[in-house]
Every structure is written in structure tokens, then in C-alpha cells.
Amino acid sequence: MECISPLLAAGSIGDFLRTQRVPFCGCELDSATVLILTAIIHAAFLFAMFGLVPFFFIWLERKVAGRIQDRLGPTRVGGRFGWLQSLADGVKLIQKEDLVPSMADGLLFRMAPYIACVATFGAFMVLPFSDGWSAVASDVGLFVLFAILSIEVVGIILAGYSSGSKWSLFGGMREAAQMVSYEIPLAICGLIPVLAVGSLNLTEIGQVQSGWFLNWLVFNSPFTFLAFWVYFTVSTASCKRAPFDLAEAESELVGGFHTEYSGMRWSFFFMAEYASMFLVSLVASLLFLGGWHTGIAPLDSVLTGLRETAAASPGFHVAGYVANLFGMMVLASKGAMLVFVQIWLRWTLPRLRIDQVMTTCLKYLVPMSCGLFLCQIIWPLVVISAVGRSTLVAWPEEMGGSIGERMGRQSVTRPVETDESAGQPGDDIDESAESSPESLPAVTESQDKVSAGSVRPHSVRTAARD
Amino acid sequence: MDATTILFWIFASISCAAAVAVVATQNVVRMAFWLIVSLGSVAGLYFLLSADFVAATQLLIYVGGTLVLLIFGVMLTATGPYSQIRTSPGEALLAGGVGSLFLAMIITTVVSVDWDSLAAIQQQDPSYASYAHEPGFNPAEEGNTARPLGLKMLGISLEDLGRTDGSLSHGYLLPFEIVSIHLLVVLIGASYLARAKRRSRPDQPS
């Protein structure tokens, strides 16, 4: 118990480690060791997530595929629903021989699965799993996420090229052509909710979607609604999922880019694929579907209140932790639902031809996303001039207000002369959250009017609180 | 030693080693791979400096650009399975000479700057990132490092907020627009050069 209590008293793992002593020599840990240990613990948490997600979704894929094809799917391993099937697969794959073809470029052939895997894993870094629960808080989180995720294709292409096989090379080339073109609508569709919110920070995008579910960005305007469907299509294609899985295309290319792979290296590609499916679904949930908010305003305002108390109090706060854990489960459920739809699509739709895939992207999805982008720029101006509000429908105050009015513009600095007014405690929620040095008084007032306790100002801590 | 310093040395040495490997290998695809590693480590250095935007841009543009170069320059044009590049001794000597001269110039420049006094001057300047001096507020820790850059792109400078004498500094709006016009010109030129040439004699099939 004397081990647990300093852990609960500390605000983060780093703070906890700073209070500890090395078991044998009794000396204190220096800052470098603390930072490295903290980083390892955080990475282990993320890696557990990264490993468990494919574990679950591969089982789900088999089960759903079975049901859609009028089979049972796995039933025996690990009890009734075959829920340990992925573990059995993993054990089987570890035992297999790690083959490298004689024609292959050994170094690149061995490196390629790790590149695909690490890129997907790295993109989880900037993703907020709940309010403020991100490993790396970044002002340009969405941009960083897409940038890191775009490295995955390097692994696929290197795998295709270095295998020394024609099937693999064709798979790699198709993947290259597909990714280079599908990244454009993916990025543009990701920018449409960013236009509605005015921030690339994923935590802020999640925060503005509190209140009832009509405040979710997918219902913000007709264009965000359409953009959600375009984004979902494009993200399915960017994970090279059927009907866009031309890179593997078993009926034409044997196994596509992973024809020559066996054992664990082969399974790394699939871990990367399932993790990136989950990742793009989580991003879709954050951008369009309210993030960690349940969509029920009274429940959300209670949870937000708990988080605010936790952010204001020093040390570990159990209620805030539980609220964040609940938010993470909500976000993960939304992501899992979208992954389920992706799996459903895979076993329902036939695979397109490569020319159809490219036509879909370049002739339909790119112009559509560009048009939606332009319309989303013009939309607020038209609505404001027509009805005098920032949204078409005026949500009643008890429903949390409409999203445009609730958005406090985040200012960049606190002016020097307002120090004394900002120092008064407890005049509003903005000031009670300790670390909001960026809000101007004018902004604070406008937030006061509409927040009604359910909205948290954006400038409150976005750094990781473990 | 600080943890940041350790990470800096890790990233810097990976970056330099991969850069040497780019020159030392002869297989073109391996060169591209080492180039990606080197550029990725530079992006890691940017992340270490809390320059998220520059780091993400580095990943997106340079790693993506290297990839397109790899696809179109190697995969679509290669005649054999693994194309090799062999340099003659004369070329290697010339490139080595120019490279070491450039390295010497960079090292001389870096060593000749008195970094400690520069940091002290920056600390004393009241206009220098006034928001960063707020007690308990660390923009890098909170991830709020790209917003000043974005405002500069719009022509708004944060340093002006701390000033009282009414003088204004400049944003990056004009260079930003010039670059975009430049890119537009390049795009038009590229499509002009790559357009389908009109047949000189349409009556004869060529």
C-alpha cells in the first residue's frame, strides 16, 4: 500500500518517478532517467493498445465474414465464440520459418514490415483517446497524424519491390498509385471539420463537440455530413481494404505485396493494416462523430465537470481518471463500430479493377472533396448573412447551444494589463482551470454566456495527463 | 546529460550515418531507403525542438517526395531487377572535395557563433515570444507551438502584442503568397511540357 499511495498522489507517471529512489543504491533518479522511463511506460501502454486492437479485429473479421457467408466462423479456440482464435494464429505464425527468397534484396525485405508497423504505431502518438489523454499534444495534431501515417506506404512499396517477385512488384506499384492519389481526398476531407472548428488540434476538435449529438460535426452543415461519407470511403481505400484492396488482390496477384512473406513478418503487415483501420476510424470519430462525448448532454456535462475538477486539482484524481477512461471507451466503441462497417463492406462488395479504383478517386472523390471544401468555407458566411446565426438551426440553450456560438475563439496570449482581473479566483470556469494563460477576458465573457457548464474552454490543458 | 541531449545525439547520428549510407550504397532502392531514414531522423530532430509543423511537413514532403522519386525514377524506368549506380573514381574525388569544403564551411559558421550570448540576448528581449514567459506555461509542453507560425502566415506577429512603442514587425504573408504563385507557375509549366504533342501531319498515322 505504501507503494500505491505516492502513485495516486502524483499527477503523472513522471512526477511519481521523481519521488522514487533506486532500490539498491538509494540515490534519486535524475531527470534523463525519469524521462526515458516515463517514455517507455507510455510507449508500452500505446503498444499494448496497438497489439490488442488487431487481436480483437482479426477475430471480429473472421466471425463477421463467417456470418455473412452463412458460416459460423471460429468456434473452438478459447471457448464458445472462438475468441482466442487470434492468439492461436499468432502462436502458429511465430513458429513458422522466416523465409527470404534468394532473389530478394535481404535488407529491405526484412525492414519493410517494420516500417509499415512503426508508421501506424507512431500515428497513435498524437491521437487523444480522451480529453487531454494524448501521448503528444500538438497544435497541428491532425497534420502530424496524416504525415506519420503516410509513411506506411513506404513499407508496402519496399516490400513489393524487394521481394524479387513479379506478383509483389505489381502489388507494390498498385499500392503506390493508389496511395498517392487517395491521400489527396483524405487530407481534404480531414480539413473540412477543421474548417468548421478552426483548429487542427485534435483535442480541441473533440472538445467543441460536447452537448447533444446534434452538435457533432457530422451534423454541423450539409457539407460536413457529405464529407463524413467521402472520408469514410477514402479511409477504407487508404487502409487498402476491400473493395479497394488491389495491392493484395488474391485472385490476380496470389498475395500481392506480401506474396513472399511468411511467419511473423507477414503478420506485421496485418497488424499494421488492422491498427490503421482502427486509427482512421478513431480519427473519423474524433473529426465527425463527437470524439469522446456520448452525445447525451446531461451525462457529458457531468463527465466534463469531473475532468475539469481533475485538471484543477494537483495529483491523481480518481473521478477524473474514471471520466477519462469512460471517454476513451466511448471513443473506442465509435471507432470499433466504423471498423465493423469496414469489415461488413469487405465481405459484401466485390473488388474493383485498378482502373475503376483510380477513376473513383481522381474523377469522383477528388472533385467531390474539393467542392465540399469550398462549400464549407462559404457556408458559415451564407448562414450568418441569411439567418444571423452560425448554424442553420438554432438549438435551444438546454440542448447545449449550437456549435458556432459555443466556440470560444482561442486567443494566443494573455495581455499584460489584465493580470489582476485574471488573478481573482472562482469567477468563472475558465479561470478555475489553473493553466489557461491564453484566454482574453472578452473571450471568457462570451464563453460564459453560452457554456452552461458543459463546455470547456479550449485553452485548458491539452498536455498529456496520465 | 540531459535526456533531450541524448535524444538529439541519437537522431543526429542516425541522420548522419544514413546520409553516408546514401552515398556509400550502389543499389538505387537502398539509397532511397537510406535517404528516407536520414530525412526521417531530421524530422525527429524537429519534433525534439517542438517544431511539430516543420517536422510533419518534412515527413510529408520529403519522405513522400523521395517515394515518388523512387517510383517514377527507378521502378518505371529500370531495365533490370535491381539497378545499380557506379561512380568513377574521378567523380567520387570531385564530389568528396566539394562535400568536405561545404562541411568545413558549415562547421566554421556554427563554431564562430557565440550561442550563449545569443541565448542571453533573446532572453532579455521583451518582444521575444512574450507569451512564453508566462509562469507555469510551457508552449512546447502543451503542444501550442504551431499557432504563432500560422498567425505569421496570416501577417499577424505575436511579438507586436508585447510592444508598447507602436512599431510593427512583418508577417510571412507576402513570401507565402509568392511561393504559392511560384508553385502555380511550376505546375502550369510542367503540364505545358508534358502535354500531348500535336501531330504535325494529321492525315498520316504516325
Side-chain angles (χ1 to χ4, degrees):
Chain A
M1 200 54 215
E2 70 252 29
C3 168
I4 298 290
S5 53
L7 184 60
L8 291 183
S12 67
I13 295 173
D15 292 345
F16 168 68
L17 286 174
R18 260 175 224 112
T19 62
Q20 295 300 298
R21 287 169 183 281
V22 182
F24 296 109
C25 71
C27 47
E28 290 203 359
L29 297 166
D30 61 339
S31 67
T33 326
V34 165
L35 192 106
I36 289 167
L37 279 177
T38 316
I40 289 173
I41 292 170
H42 283 216
F45 276 128
L46 273 181
F47 195 78
M49 177 121 193
F50 179 74
L52 284 176
V53 160
F55 190 89
F56 172 68
F57 285 121
I58 289 174
W59 170 80
L60 187 72
E61 172 108 53
R62 290 173 155 234
K63 208 67 189 165
V64 171
R67 289 290 172 180
I68 287 177
Q69 295 170 346
D70 208 9
R71 296 184 283 115
L72 285 175
T75 52
R76 286 161 193 261
V77 188
R80 192 152 170 225
F81 301 106
W83 59 277
L84 277 180
Q85 184 65 44
S86 302
L87 186 68
D89 287 347
V91 171
K92 181 192 78 177
L93 286 167
I94 288 176
Q95 290 170 340
K96 281 193 172 184
E97 189 186 352
D98 187 20
L99 288 171
V100 178
S102 58
M103 277 296 287
D105 185 337
L107 172 79
L108 297 181
F109 187 82
R110 290 195 179 90
M111 288 296 294
Y114 300 120
I115 296 176
C117 226
V118 163
T120 316
F121 176 50
F124 274 95
M125 267 190 331
V126 287
L127 197 76
F129 290 100
S130 184
D131 199 347
W133 268 19
S134 54
V136 180
S138 173
D139 237 2
V140 284
L142 188 67
F143 185 52
V144 174
L145 192 142
F146 280 144
I148 298 177
L149 197 60
S150 73
I151 303 175
E152 191 196 352
V153 67
V154 178
I156 307 289
I157 292 170
L158 282 182
Y161 186 82
S162 63
S163 290
S165 153
K166 286 190 173 59
W167 308 121
S168 304
L169 186 61
F170 270 119
M173 287 302 297
R174 284 181 176 188
E175 171 71 7
Q178 194 176 323
M179 279 313 295
V180 167
S181 36
Y182 271 90
E183 261 177 14
I184 301 164
L186 184 72
I188 295 175
C189 284
L191 280 181
I192 289 171
V194 168
L195 279 177
V197 174
S199 172
L200 274 166
N201 191 330
L202 286 166
T203 310
E204 280 178 24
I205 293 174
Q207 280 169 355
V208 296
Q209 300 180 67
S210 62
W212 285 96
F213 61 89
L214 288 170
N215 274 323
W216 292 358
L217 284 171
V218 64
F219 301 122
N220 186 42
S221 76
F223 309 109
T224 49
F225 184 76
L226 291 175
F228 171 66
W229 301 105
V230 178
Y231 174 86
F232 186 72
T233 314
V234 174
S235 66
T236 307
S238 77
C239 298
K240 39 183 195 315
R241 293 287 296 179
F244 304 102
D245 60 342
L246 270 297
E248 10 190 320
E250 294 90 346
S251 52
E252 312 156 42
L253 298 181
V254 187
F257 66 93
H258 60 69
T259 306
E260 306 292 337
Y261 280 89
S262 68
M264 273 319 273
R265 290 184 203 280
W266 180 84
S267 74
F268 275 136
F269 282 121
F270 281 84
M271 281 175 75
E273 175 176 331
Y274 283 90
S276 81
M277 272 165 75
F278 191 50
L279 182 80
V280 292
S281 301
L282 285 181
V283 172
S285 315
L286 270 173
L287 291 182
F288 295 100
L289 298 181
W292 52 82
H293 296 293
T294 54
I296 306 164
L299 179 60
D300 274 337
S301 61
V302 169
L303 292 173
T304 313
L306 286 178
R307 286 189 198 109
E308 305 232 335
T309 326
S313 66
F316 183 80
H317 194 277
V318 181
Y321 185 83
V322 171
N324 270 331
L325 200 64
F326 183 73
M328 178 171 153
M329 282 162 62
V330 169
L331 181 67
S333 324
K334 287 175 185 172
M337 297 270 274
L338 291 179
V339 173
F340 170 73
V341 177
Q342 285 183 329
I343 293 173
W344 178 14
L345 282 178
R346 170 170 175 187
W347 297 102
T348 309
L349 297 177
R351 182 180 296 130
L352 299 174
R353 286 198 319 262
I354 182 70
D355 62 318
Q356 289 168 333
V357 168
M358 301 307 286
T359 311
T360 312
C361 177
L362 295 176
K363 285 195 181 163
Y364 297 102
L365 293 174
V366 169
M368 267 167 78
S369 51
C370 288
L372 290 173
F373 184 77
L374 286 178
C375 292
Q376 180 62 36
I377 293 174
I378 300 167
W379 172 257
L381 307 175
V382 172
V383 171
I384 281 178
S385 61
V387 295
R389 283 189 304 271
S390 58
T391 49
L392 197 58
V393 186
W395 310 121
E397 192 69 29
E398 59 268 21
M399 290 181 72
S402 56
I403 195 163
E405 273 112 60
R406 294 182 310 110
M407 272 178 50
R409 282 275 152 220
Q410 182 168 20
S411 53
V412 281
T413 180
R414 176 161 58 185
V416 184
E417 65 272 11
T418 58
D419 271 340
E420 60 274 18
S421 68
Q424 291 168 2
D427 42 1
D428 55 47
I429 54 161
D430 195 1
E431 304 301 331
S432 65
E434 27 82 9
S435 59
S436 56
E438 310 177 339
S439 32
L440 287 163
V443 174
T444 313
E445 279 162 27
S446 69
Q447 278 174 343
D448 262 352
K449 259 192 320 206
V450 293
S451 58
S454 67
V455 188
R456 190 174 170 198
H458 311 153
S459 56
V460 198
R461 264 190 101 85
T462 50
R465 291 185 68 86
D466 27 27
Chain B
M1 197 193 278
D2 196 7
T4 317
T5 322
I6 299 172
L7 285 173
F8 167 79
W9 282 111
I10 292 174
F11 278 122
S13 44
I14 290 177
S15 177
C16 293
V20 171
V22 172
V23 184
T25 41
Q26 293 186 331
N27 184 331
V28 180
V29 179
R30 280 198 188 187
M31 279 182 190
F33 170 70
W34 289 122
L35 191 61
I36 287 171
V37 170
S38 179
L39 294 169
S41 305
V42 175
L45 286 178
Y46 290 145
F47 274 122
L48 206 58
L49 291 168
S50 310
D52 295 351
F53 182 76
V54 188
T57 313
Q58 168 91 7
L59 283 180
L60 206 63
I61 292 177
Y62 284 97
V63 175
T66 314
L67 195 70
V68 172
L69 183 82
L70 174 73
I71 295 161
F72 292 104
V74 181
M75 289 190 177
L76 293 183
T77 55
T79 49
Y82 297 112
S83 44
Q84 307 273 321
I85 290 182
R86 299 193 191 283
T87 45
S88 65
E91 283 173 342
L93 200 67
L94 187 67
V98 174
S100 14
L101 273 177
F102 190 65
L103 185 67
M105 186 199 77
I106 289 176
I107 289 175
T108 323
T109 317
V110 170
V111 167
S112 65
V113 175
D114 186 5
W115 294 102
D116 290 336
S117 67
L118 199 68
I121 290 169
Q122 274 191 332
Q123 294 278 321
Q124 285 161 3
D125 187 1
S127 69
Y128 167 70
S130 54
Y131 62 93
H133 294 306
E134 289 288 334
F137 178 59
N138 182 359
E141 200 174 89
E142 316 233 339
N144 296 333
T145 54
R147 189 160 280 136
L149 185 68
L151 286 171
K152 274 269 193 185
M153 290 289 188
L154 291 173
I156 304 165
S157 187
L158 281 186
E159 290 119 46
D160 297 343
L161 294 172
R163 283 192 191 168
T164 48
D165 56 351
S167 64
L168 291 177
S169 59
H170 300 287
Y172 303 142
L173 188 58
L174 186 63
F176 184 63
E177 292 297 323
I178 290 174
V179 167
S180 56
I181 293 288
H182 179 79
L183 285 176
L184 183 67
V185 170
V186 170
L187 271 178
I188 293 172
S191 62
Y192 173 77
L193 289 175
R195 80 194 191 286
K197 303 282 189 298
R198 194 181 293 131
R199 291 200 187 95
S200 53
R201 298 164 73 177
D203 50 313
Q204 285 183 352
S206 55

